[in-house]
Amino acid sequence: QVQLVESGGGLVQPGGSLRLSCQASGIIFSIYIMGWYRQAPGKERELVATITSGGTTHYVDSVKGRFTISRDDAKNTVYLHLNSLKFEDTAVYYCNAYRSVGAVRYNYWGKGTLVTVSS
């Protein structure tokens, strides 16, 4: 059974920082592309950042220079460091594990962790 469990969300003031963690089980973590998505109230879920098995990262423009994604394959964990937080970063943040083998796609989601940026 595949499980992705996020943690680290909470209430933070604008300009503050948080570190989100996502621990995976039930998959060979090291071969998956890991990602963080977010969904703000009334909006669609959007990609925030991804990291490949080789460590290549990708960020949505709105978080470049502020957020950092990293992974620790020994701990089956992916992290998202959120710095210089803004009101518009308020959302539920979801962890994602993705892999494709030919036409077969493996796509798993966590249940999310809430980040609230408020003064």
Side-chain angles (χ1 to χ4, degrees):
Q1 181 182 1
V2 178
Q3 283 193 314
L4 302 178
V5 180
E6 303 98 334
S7 61
L11 175 65
V12 62
Q13 292 185 340
S17 299
L18 282 175
R19 188 186 77 163
L20 306 183
S21 300
C22 169
Q23 183 159 36
S25 59
I27 58 172
I28 303 173
F29 180 84
S30 61
I31 63 175
Y32 276 75
I33 297 171
M34 298 303 298
W36 287 95
Y37 290 70
R38 66 185 179 186
Q39 187 167 17
K43 295 188 177 181
E44 293 186 353
R45 190 174 298 189
E46 66 169 351
L47 172 67
V48 176
T50 60
I51 184 166
T52 69
S53 58
T56 300
T57 57
H58 168 78
Y59 299 91
V60 67
D61 285 347
S62 60
V63 308
K64 282 181 181 177
R66 300 190 300 120
F67 292 7
T68 303
I69 189 170
S70 62
R71 64 190 297 160
D72 186 338
D73 289 350
K75 295 182 179 180
N76 286 2
T77 301
V78 61
Y79 304 98
L80 186 67
H81 298 256
L82 296 74
N83 298 312
S84 302
L85 281 160
K86 304 176 180 180
F87 292 117
E88 53 264 40
D89 294 318
T90 294
V92 177
Y93 284 72
Y94 296 92
C95 178
N96 175 262
Y98 177 82
R99 176 176 177 242
S100 65
V101 182
V104 179
R105 289 168 173 76
Y106 302 89
N107 197 28
Y108 304 106
W109 293 93
K111 294 183 178 181
T113 185
L114 177 63
V115 173
T116 303
V117 184
S118 176
S119 54

